[in-house]
Amino acid sequence: MKRPQHIAIVGAGLVGCMLATLLARRGHMVSVFEKREESATLTNSTGRSTHLAISARGWRAIEAIDAGPEVLRSALPLKGRRIHSANGMEQIFQPYGDDEQAIFAIHRNVLNRILARICASTAGVTMHFSHQCMHVDASGGVLELTNSLTGEGLTVQADYIFAADGAFSKVRERATGSTRIRSAVQFESFGYKEVTIPVATAASLEPDAMHAWPRGEVSLFAFPNPDRTFTATLLAPFKGPNGFTNICTAEDVERVFAQRFPDVAAGQLCAELLANPVNSLVTVRCTPWTIDGRLALLGDAAHAMVPFLGQGMNAGFEDCMAITEMLDQHDEDFRAVLSRYEQLRKPHCDAVTTMSANTFDELTKQVASAHFHLKKQLERTIHRLYPERFVPPYELIAFTHVPYAEVQRRIEQLDNIAEELVRRIGPQGMQDENTVEHHIQTYITELTGDACEA
Ligand SMILES: Cc1cc2nc3c(=O)[nH]c(=O)nc-3n(C[C@H](O)[C@H](O)[C@H](O)COP(=O)(O)OP(=O)(O)OC[C@H]3O[C@@H](n4cnc5c(N)ncnc54)[C@H](O)[C@@H]3O)c2cc1C
């Protein structure tokens, strides 16, 4: 192995802590700089979502740092979604995968605390809280930081720098070298508010699932907590007739819930809903991800996405695993790794960012359309008839390690097949299962050969 390198990581969020632990365990000296105070890093101070779903891609990294048992103790398995009907009378359970498969919901702070503690106790890691990175000279490997407690400036020299400082990355914005990073930060016209559904109201909600009230522009989602409460996320446009600007009194809240979520007692949530801030949703696309073979972006700093597939952190953990696997292949040569990193990861992160945006679009625009439901119904039947060849999109994303770009290709293929079948069968034909199966089998036979190989 080459000599241990001095690695500087900006950001002690989920991804920064994960990478620091993985690199220090390989024998490198890792300094982590986090702008928040130590206590704030370990409590809920980000104003971000309180819940995260961990799926297979994220688990792989969690297991690689032996955090699995501790994370499991604080996480709840979710086996599917429970969709609440518009009249509030029915619930449909949609399993995420087979009986054995689950994603895991965990409080963001709890996970960050576990990862930060493991990171801080790993030999070779030094954590510097209250240190905000202001500027990076990538070619020289130099970071300029400000200690927010004393106001003093600090200059640090490192062999390699990783920026895990989130969607609004200062490193991405300020880093200089032989090139600058060009980025597009897209703010959605939708935002979200989080509220706690108390135990009394939550009693009718099964804790084995994510609950969803998908009502287009104004939708509600709820994740169970270990204390039997639920954390609900209300999604709505910032402005307009359905916007948060029109959900600002107790009467507004009662009206919106009575119209859209009649089985959720609004009274219990009202005060919190009115008091809590509206959070933004952003998508970040940027290039290059590396400068001068010494600086690399990862996690949300490189690829923040809307959260409707629950993959942002999972993709960030996949970045960490990709870096360590390349270090294996290149005998710890970071320069060789950084020269390949963007080429290896960006196409997949672009793909999952696009798939997340498409899911957002489905949720806010298409979920009410009959055409959309026919296609989803067809996709389920195609999977039942050809379980190996056509795996449902969410299963591929959440329970496999199939690269995201390949997942995207397969999803598009299935979508095209469903689109053509809707055209062939028509809404009337969809009533009869035999007709549907006959059309599917005929069409798939027509498509035999490469075009249809999943
Ligand atoms: C509503 C919502 C729900 C989500 N649900 C899921 C989910 O279910 N599953 C999933 O996989 N993902 C989910 N995500 C995405 C997930 O939250 C992010 O992908 C993840 O937090 C990215 O981690 P990160 O470490 O890259 O960035 P962050 O978590 O943003 O951490 C960045 C860290 O850098 C620090 N920092 C920032 N600037 C500086 C600076 N200049 N100097 C020093 N430190 C700095 C910050 O204080 C912070 O600690 C969700 C996101 C949202 C908004």
Side-chain angles (χ1 to χ4, degrees):
M1 168 178 152
K2 292 196 181 308
R3 72 172 173 86
Q5 303 289 307
H6 177 211
I7 309 297
I9 295 179
V10 182
L14 304 162
V15 173
C17 289
M18 175 61 72
L19 184 69
T21 307
L22 288 166
L23 295 183
R25 285 187 173 198
R26 304 177 74 87
H28 300 290
M29 295 162 295
V30 185
S31 302
V32 183
F33 299 96
E34 166 58 50
K35 72 175 179 186
R36 290 181 288 157
E37 291 179 22
E38 182 166 5
S39 58
T41 304
L42 305 179
T43 57
N44 188 17
S45 62
T46 59
R48 305 277 303 278
S49 69
T50 47
H51 275 77
L52 295 164
I54 309 170
S55 51
R57 298 167 202 264
W59 267 113
R60 195 153 158 260
I62 287 170
E63 281 174 349
I65 59 165
D66 304 313
E70 196 176 349
V71 171
L72 266 187
R73 275 196 293 278
S74 305
L76 286 177
L78 305 183
K79 295 206 153 190
R81 351 182 155 74
R82 287 192 183 270
I83 309 288
H84 293 245
S85 65
N87 63 10
M89 306 298 281
E90 294 103 35
Q91 291 180 20
I92 301 167
F93 181 70
Q94 295 178 344
Y96 288 135
D98 65 33
D99 270 0
E100 302 300 309
Q101 289 173 314
I103 59 172
F104 291 85
I106 189 164
H107 203 284
R108 174 189 290 276
N109 298 343
V110 173
L111 183 59
N112 207 158
R113 195 160 53 226
I114 293 171
L115 298 182
R117 208 173 36 232
I118 292 174
C119 181
S121 62
T122 302
V125 175
T126 316
M127 308 277 274
H128 304 266
F129 291 100
S130 308
H131 277 77
Q132 181 167 13
C133 181
M134 308 304 287
H135 184 80
V136 174
D137 165 15
S139 50
V142 177
L143 288 97
E144 286 170 22
L145 302 132
T146 301
N147 181 326
S148 57
L149 299 179
T150 64
E152 284 169 14
L154 176 73
T155 302
V156 172
Q157 168 89 47
D159 294 319
Y160 297 95
I161 299 166
F162 288 94
D165 54 341
F168 302 102
S169 168
K170 200 153 240 156
V171 177
R172 189 180 68 225
E173 181 193 316
R174 300 271 176 89
T176 53
S178 63
T179 183
R180 294 290 291 253
I181 297 165
R182 298 179 305 284
S183 60
V185 179
Q186 183 189 331
F187 282 84
E188 300 301 337
S189 55
F190 285 75
Y192 68 95
K193 280 193 180 201
E194 293 203 318
V195 284
T196 307
I197 303 181
V199 178
T201 311
S204 60
L205 304 177
E206 289 295 326
D208 63 345
M210 187 271 273
H211 289 252
W213 293 258
R215 308 280 184 266
E217 284 201 334
V218 184
S219 293
L220 188 73
F221 308 92
F223 282 94
N225 295 313
D227 64 2
R228 288 291 287 144
T229 62
F230 273 69
T231 301
T233 303
L234 179 68
L235 177 79
F238 280 99
K239 294 182 185 153
N242 292 324
F244 278 114
T245 43
N246 280 319
I247 313 177
C248 48
T249 65
E251 292 73 38
D252 294 338
V253 173
E254 293 283 356
R255 173 182 45 79
V256 168
F257 274 65
Q259 280 171 357
R260 295 171 186 263
F261 323 120
D263 51 336
V264 183
Q268 307 257 13
L269 319 179
C270 205
E272 216 188 322
L273 202 53
L274 295 176
N276 285 356
V278 186
N279 298 299
S280 302
L281 295 171
V282 293
T283 297
V284 172
R285 293 179 195 269
C286 64
T287 190
W289 282 14
T290 60
I291 305 181
D292 294 333
R294 286 187 90 158
L295 166 84
L297 306 180
L298 75 162
D300 273 17
H303 49 70
M305 62 197 79
V306 290
F308 298 102
L309 285 175
Q311 288 299 300
M313 169 195 65
N314 286 287
F317 286 177
E318 240 189 22
D319 295 342
C320 299
M321 292 305 289
I323 289 167
T324 59
E325 279 155 15
M326 285 192 286
L327 286 169
D328 279 339
Q329 290 156 16
H330 296 283
D331 191 25
E332 304 301 313
D333 181 347
F334 278 86
R335 206 163 264 277
V337 167
L338 293 199
S339 72
R340 288 164 178 78
Y341 165 62
E342 177 172 0
Q343 202 186 358
L344 183 84
R345 284 299 295 160
K346 194 171 183 322
H348 301 302
C349 293
D350 284 348
V352 66
T353 302
T354 301
M355 290 189 284
S356 300
N358 292 346
T359 307
F360 182 47
D361 196 59
E362 280 178 11
L363 189 73
T364 52
K365 298 198 189 118
Q366 301 178 43
V367 84
S369 107
H371 182 79
F372 175 77
H373 284 285
L374 290 182
K375 277 171 67 177
K376 289 290 150 199
Q377 186 186 332
L378 278 164
E379 284 180 13
R380 285 193 292 276
T381 313
I382 294 169
H383 170 60
R384 181 167 54 72
L385 296 174
Y386 302 93
E388 300 295 321
R389 193 187 257 181
F390 296 104
V391 179
Y394 190 75
E395 234 176 285
L396 278 175
I397 289 166
F399 300 122
T400 75
H401 299 280
V402 173
Y404 287 125
E406 170 64 11
V407 171
Q408 187 184 28
R409 187 194 70 76
R410 293 200 203 177
I411 290 176
E412 281 170 8
Q413 181 194 42
L414 187 57
D415 187 69
N416 289 340
I417 291 172
E419 187 74 47
E420 172 60 14
L421 283 165
V422 170
R423 197 188 64 73
R424 290 183 180 201
I425 302 171
Q428 288 307 322
M430 289 293 292
Q431 310 295 331
D432 177 29
E433 193 64 16
N434 290 335
T435 308
V436 172
E437 289 187 8
H438 168 74
H439 275 282
I440 291 174
Q441 281 157 342
T442 308
Y443 186 43
I444 299 293
T445 309
E446 275 172 42
L447 288 176
T448 46
D450 292 342
C452 201
E453 286 305 321

PDB file of all heavy atoms in Angstrom, residues 315-327:
ATOM      1  N   ALA A 315     -27.639   6.935  -2.245  1.00  0.00           N
ATOM      2  CA  ALA A 315     -26.709   7.183  -3.357  1.00  0.00           C
ATOM      3  C   ALA A 315     -25.390   7.748  -2.837  1.00  0.00           C
ATOM      4  O   ALA A 315     -24.310   7.419  -3.339  1.00  0.00           O
ATOM      5  CB  ALA A 315     -27.343   8.144  -4.369  1.00  0.00           C
ATOM      6  N   GLY A 316     -25.478   8.599  -1.807  1.00  0.00           N
ATOM      7  CA  GLY A 316     -24.252   9.158  -1.215  1.00  0.00           C
ATOM      8  C   GLY A 316     -23.403   8.065  -0.577  1.00  0.00           C
ATOM      9  O   GLY A 316     -22.167   8.062  -0.696  1.00  0.00           O
ATOM     10  N   PHE A 317     -24.054   7.104   0.082  1.00  0.00           N
ATOM     11  CA  PHE A 317     -23.302   5.980   0.669  1.00  0.00           C
ATOM     12  C   PHE A 317     -22.704   5.106  -0.434  1.00  0.00           C
ATOM     13  O   PHE A 317     -21.621   4.544  -0.271  1.00  0.00           O
ATOM     14  CB  PHE A 317     -24.210   5.145   1.579  1.00  0.00           C
ATOM     15  CG  PHE A 317     -24.532   5.801   2.911  1.00  0.00           C
ATOM     16  CD1 PHE A 317     -25.388   5.190   3.810  1.00  0.00           C
ATOM     17  CD2 PHE A 317     -23.965   7.010   3.277  1.00  0.00           C
ATOM     18  CE1 PHE A 317     -25.687   5.775   5.046  1.00  0.00           C
ATOM     19  CE2 PHE A 317     -24.253   7.612   4.498  1.00  0.00           C
ATOM     20  CZ  PHE A 317     -25.123   6.991   5.380  1.00  0.00           C
ATOM     21  N   GLU A 318     -23.425   5.013  -1.546  1.00  0.00           N
ATOM     22  CA  GLU A 318     -22.865   4.261  -2.683  1.00  0.00           C
ATOM     23  C   GLU A 318     -21.605   4.950  -3.223  1.00  0.00           C
ATOM     24  O   GLU A 318     -20.644   4.279  -3.604  1.00  0.00           O
ATOM     25  CB  GLU A 318     -23.918   4.161  -3.808  1.00  0.00           C
ATOM     26  CG  GLU A 318     -24.285   2.756  -4.167  1.00  0.00           C
ATOM     27  CD  GLU A 318     -25.168   2.677  -5.417  1.00  0.00           C
ATOM     28  OE1 GLU A 318     -25.183   3.601  -6.261  1.00  0.00           O
ATOM     29  OE2 GLU A 318     -25.841   1.667  -5.552  1.00  0.00           O
ATOM     30  N   ASP A 319     -21.612   6.311  -3.230  1.00  0.00           N
ATOM     31  CA  ASP A 319     -20.383   7.044  -3.620  1.00  0.00           C
ATOM     32  C   ASP A 319     -19.219   6.590  -2.737  1.00  0.00           C
ATOM     33  O   ASP A 319     -18.107   6.333  -3.220  1.00  0.00           O
ATOM     34  CB  ASP A 319     -20.531   8.561  -3.409  1.00  0.00           C
ATOM     35  CG  ASP A 319     -21.574   9.232  -4.283  1.00  0.00           C
ATOM     36  OD1 ASP A 319     -21.980   8.641  -5.296  1.00  0.00           O
ATOM     37  OD2 ASP A 319     -21.975  10.364  -3.939  1.00  0.00           O
ATOM     38  N   CYS A 320     -19.479   6.538  -1.416  1.00  0.00           N
ATOM     39  CA  CYS A 320     -18.410   6.171  -0.456  1.00  0.00           C
ATOM     40  C   CYS A 320     -17.888   4.769  -0.765  1.00  0.00           C
ATOM     41  O   CYS A 320     -16.663   4.533  -0.775  1.00  0.00           O
ATOM     42  CB  CYS A 320     -18.932   6.197   0.977  1.00  0.00           C
ATOM     43  SG  CYS A 320     -19.539   7.795   1.515  1.00  0.00           S
ATOM     44  N   MET A 321     -18.809   3.842  -1.009  1.00  0.00           N
ATOM     45  CA  MET A 321     -18.384   2.467  -1.293  1.00  0.00           C
ATOM     46  C   MET A 321     -17.614   2.398  -2.612  1.00  0.00           C
ATOM     47  O   MET A 321     -16.635   1.662  -2.737  1.00  0.00           O
ATOM     48  CB  MET A 321     -19.589   1.525  -1.351  1.00  0.00           C
ATOM     49  CG  MET A 321     -20.280   1.312  -0.020  1.00  0.00           C
ATOM     50  SD  MET A 321     -19.170   0.750   1.287  1.00  0.00           S
ATOM     51  CE  MET A 321     -18.828  -0.918   0.756  1.00  0.00           C
ATOM     52  N   ALA A 322     -18.059   3.183  -3.599  1.00  0.00           N
ATOM     53  CA  ALA A 322     -17.364   3.181  -4.900  1.00  0.00           C
ATOM     54  C   ALA A 322     -15.930   3.670  -4.717  1.00  0.00           C
ATOM     55  O   ALA A 322     -14.992   3.118  -5.306  1.00  0.00           O
ATOM     56  CB  ALA A 322     -18.118   4.066  -5.897  1.00  0.00           C
ATOM     57  N   ILE A 323     -15.751   4.707  -3.886  1.00  0.00           N
ATOM     58  CA  ILE A 323     -14.397   5.239  -3.660  1.00  0.00           C
ATOM     59  C   ILE A 323     -13.517   4.176  -2.994  1.00  0.00           C
ATOM     60  O   ILE A 323     -12.381   3.946  -3.408  1.00  0.00           O
ATOM     61  CB  ILE A 323     -14.474   6.540  -2.824  1.00  0.00           C
ATOM     62  CG1 ILE A 323     -15.069   7.657  -3.685  1.00  0.00           C
ATOM     63  CG2 ILE A 323     -13.096   6.948  -2.282  1.00  0.00           C
ATOM     64  CD1 ILE A 323     -15.503   8.899  -2.918  1.00  0.00           C
ATOM     65  N   THR A 324     -14.064   3.493  -1.985  1.00  0.00           N
ATOM     66  CA  THR A 324     -13.219   2.491  -1.300  1.00  0.00           C
ATOM     67  C   THR A 324     -12.924   1.305  -2.230  1.00  0.00           C
ATOM     68  O   THR A 324     -11.822   0.766  -2.210  1.00  0.00           O
ATOM     69  CB  THR A 324     -13.855   1.989   0.011  1.00  0.00           C
ATOM     70  OG1 THR A 324     -15.120   1.412  -0.282  1.00  0.00           O
ATOM     71  CG2 THR A 324     -14.027   3.083   1.025  1.00  0.00           C
ATOM     72  N   GLU A 325     -13.909   0.928  -3.049  1.00  0.00           N
ATOM     73  CA  GLU A 325     -13.642  -0.192  -3.976  1.00  0.00           C
ATOM     74  C   GLU A 325     -12.573   0.189  -5.002  1.00  0.00           C
ATOM     75  O   GLU A 325     -11.717  -0.630  -5.349  1.00  0.00           O
ATOM     76  CB  GLU A 325     -14.943  -0.620  -4.659  1.00  0.00           C
ATOM     77  CG  GLU A 325     -15.761  -1.523  -3.744  1.00  0.00           C
ATOM     78  CD  GLU A 325     -17.251  -1.517  -4.048  1.00  0.00           C
ATOM     79  OE1 GLU A 325     -17.641  -1.042  -5.129  1.00  0.00           O
ATOM     80  OE2 GLU A 325     -18.012  -1.976  -3.195  1.00  0.00           O
ATOM     81  N   MET A 326     -12.605   1.432  -5.448  1.00  0.00           N
ATOM     82  CA  MET A 326     -11.563   1.860  -6.397  1.00  0.00           C
ATOM     83  C   MET A 326     -10.203   1.944  -5.709  1.00  0.00           C
ATOM     84  O   MET A 326      -9.172   1.671  -6.324  1.00  0.00           O
ATOM     85  CB  MET A 326     -11.952   3.200  -7.024  1.00  0.00           C
ATOM     86  CG  MET A 326     -13.051   3.059  -8.069  1.00  0.00           C
ATOM     87  SD  MET A 326     -13.238   4.567  -9.041  1.00  0.00           S
ATOM     88  CE  MET A 326     -14.037   5.587  -7.878  1.00  0.00           C
ATOM     89  N   LEU A 327     -10.201   2.320  -4.420  1.00  0.00           N
ATOM     90  CA  LEU A 327      -8.918   2.333  -3.695  1.00  0.00           C
ATOM     91  C   LEU A 327      -8.346   0.922  -3.623  1.00  0.00           C
ATOM     92  O   LEU A 327      -7.130   0.725  -3.731  1.00  0.00           O
ATOM     93  CB  LEU A 327      -9.095   2.921  -2.289  1.00  0.00           C
ATOM     94  CG  LEU A 327      -9.275   4.439  -2.239  1.00  0.00           C
ATOM     95  CD1 LEU A 327      -9.718   4.884  -0.852  1.00  0.00           C
ATOM     96  CD2 LEU A 327      -7.979   5.165  -2.628  1.00  0.00           C
TER      97      LEU A 327
END
